[in-house]
């Protein structure tokens, strides 16, 4: 894991052996590795512990439940050694606060806008309210789309100095340098890296492009 990197690898592979090898090979070139339902359902929750031995792990369960259920899930994620966890904010301040309280030292990122086209149907119209809910709940940072510069800039303006992590790069049309220029602290990249013929090379290139912006 690289403290100075602005890259977060989205490890959405379903071949567990390949995912672990890729996590190990790319971890020196990224800040953290994000694990989502696909790899957790194939490998089991212990994958969080396994990758946490050599990298920060952001556990992307996009929690969206009542406070008690959110708390029970986050307590387990914490036991497994994750560095961060992702929750939805639209469920409200009490649900999100339950995540923050159960997280302890883990960083909580709340989703305040998303990167897919359907996000404009509802969610992305409410990012200001979702940021306010998230701030009152005490989150560490936000998830905001790296492929939607207008929305990302608005979120950065309201978020002040809080951390923003941004997916939507590569396969979803966004560019890592533009996303950071628009306000992202870290970019989340999956297919552009793991579907490349040389994933380590692509990860290193992204990492280098972003480090030149510092
Ligand atoms: O498009 P890719 O392959 O680079 O993968 C993007 C990853 O980011 C993937 O895991 C997806 O679930 C996630 N993501 C989005 O693509 N868009 C969003 O709006 C939010 C997320 C996400 O991870 O939310 C939490 C960070």
């Amino acid at each position: 894991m690289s403290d100075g990197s602005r890259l977060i690898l989205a490890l959405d592979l379903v071949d567990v052996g390949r995912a672990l090898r890729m996590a190990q090979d790319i971890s020196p070139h990224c800040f953290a590795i994000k694990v989502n339902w696909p790899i957790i359902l194939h490998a089991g929750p212990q994958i969080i512990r396994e990758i946490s031995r050599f990298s920060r792990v952001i556990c992307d369960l996009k929690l969206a439940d009542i406070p008690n259920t959110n708390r029970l899930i986050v307590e387990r994620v914490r036991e497994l050694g994750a560095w961060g966890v992702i929750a939805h904010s639209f469920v409200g301040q009490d649900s999100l606060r339950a995540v923050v309280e159960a997280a302890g030292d883990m960083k909580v990122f709340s989703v305040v806008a998303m990167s897919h086209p359907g996000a404009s149907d509802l969610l992305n119209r409410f990012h200001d309210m979702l940021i306010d809910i998230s701030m009152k709940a005490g989150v560490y940072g936000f998830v905001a789309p790296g492929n939607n510069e207008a929305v990302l800039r608005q979120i950065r303006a309201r978020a002040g100095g809080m951390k923003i992590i941004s997916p939507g790069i590569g396969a979803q049309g966004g560019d890592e340098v533009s996303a950071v220029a628009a306000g992202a602290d870290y970019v989340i990249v999956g297919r552009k890296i793991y579907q490349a013929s040389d994933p380590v090379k692509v990860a290193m290139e992204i990492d280098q492009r972003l480090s030149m912006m510092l």
Side-chain angles (χ1 to χ4, degrees), residues 12 34 36 60 62 86 114-115 143 167 172 188 190-191:
D12 295 328
K34 183 176 82 71
N36 197 339
D60 178 15
K62 294 190 188 71
I86 292 171
M114 292 188 74
S115 61
V143 180
Q172 297 181 62
I188 298 168
R191 286 165 286 179

